Amino acid sequence: MATVPRTSTPITAQQAAGLLVKAFARRGAVLTRGALSLLLSQLWLETGRGKNAFNNNWGNLSASSSWEGDRWAAPWANLAEVEALMPGPKQDRYRALHQDALAGRQPSAFRSYRTPDDGMADYADLLMRPRYSALLYAALTGDPATFTAAIQSTGYAPAIDVAATTNTIAALQRELLPYVDAVVPSPAAVGAATKGAVAFSLAAAAAAVYWLMGRS
């Protein structure tokens, strides 16, 4: 595990959609049009429309003490560097984020990946774990409100404003559909993969129920 410099790794919507499809396909999952549009919308929200992505970390996944890969430090992690900033809103925001990081409410480091494929593969792996499978199952509904509620309830981003984020996700979903339609399987391929898609949906649902029952 090493701390590496933060490096800008912008991505286009077409590239991100293709990486998502490939990452889940390698795990035996066929993403529906609705699921792909919502996952892509979330990544677009996380990365400022693909422009503010760093170190191939498309989901802005944090690096906890158990993370064994490379990491890059959040710009608010070092208080001395924060105090060296020009006084203003940015410095004030980073001070607040630094205090939140000390209290465990914000990450102090994020995961770093060597390639775009590595970053998307880890994002897919995360969503297929029991804790976040409810988020993946919500994506399969294709409904922005259901999906956004799951973003909060699973703890992926617990502090979001659900109503405002739902509106943003819905708008992004409509905007990104042309890129989704360019990479989703053809109707014939979808028909051939129906059994796999259904099995994937059922597995996600079972894992989501397991996670939700554990929280009750």
Side-chain angles (χ1 to χ4, degrees):
M1 178 178 65
T3 299
V4 299
R6 183 178 70 163
T7 304
S8 177
T9 53
I11 193 172
T12 67
Q14 183 176 358
Q15 290 170 332
L19 286 173
L20 275 167
V21 169
K22 182 164 63 172
F24 280 95
R26 286 177 173 174
R27 286 149 183 81
V30 179
L31 290 179
T32 63
R33 182 174 183 262
L36 178 57
S37 66
L38 286 174
L39 293 178
L40 183 58
S41 296
Q42 182 198 12
L43 297 188
W44 228 228
L45 182 60
E46 291 280 352
T47 61
R49 297 176 179 270
K51 298 176 182 177
N52 298 325
F54 301 98
N55 299 56
N56 300 307
N57 186 345
W58 313 118
N60 279 338
L61 305 186
S62 61
S64 65
S65 58
S66 62
W67 172 246
E68 298 180 352
D70 292 343
R71 62 180 63 209
W72 57 272
W76 55 81
N78 188 315
L79 184 59
E81 294 179 2
V82 172
E83 294 299 340
L85 294 173
M86 182 179 297
K90 181 177 180 179
Q91 186 186 61
D92 293 340
R93 181 164 59 90
Y94 279 9
R95 279 176 178 158
L97 288 169
H98 179 79
Q99 293 302 317
D100 284 344
L102 292 178
R105 294 188 295 269
Q106 286 287 344
S108 58
F110 294 88
R111 301 180 188 188
S112 178
Y113 306 97
R114 294 184 180 181
T115 69
D117 283 294
D118 289 343
M120 201 65 82
D122 195 42
Y123 173 74
D125 284 338
L126 181 80
L127 294 191
M128 295 184 78
R129 294 172 190 163
R131 176 174 180 177
Y132 295 107
S133 59
L135 176 57
L136 184 56
Y137 186 57
L140 289 167
T141 70
D143 177 57
T146 301
F147 180 66
T148 305
I151 292 176
Q152 182 190 58
S153 64
T154 58
Y156 189 97
I160 63 170
D161 181 323
V162 173
T165 304
T166 295
N167 291 336
T168 301
I169 289 288
L172 287 171
Q173 184 184 33
R174 292 190 295 271
E175 174 187 328
L176 293 167
L177 277 178
Y179 302 99
V180 170
D181 290 337
V183 297
V184 290
S186 65
V190 170
T194 297
K195 290 184 179 180
V198 170
F200 170 54
S201 299
L202 292 176
V209 170
Y210 171 82
W211 166 244
L212 293 172
M213 288 180 65
R215 288 170 57 88
S216 61

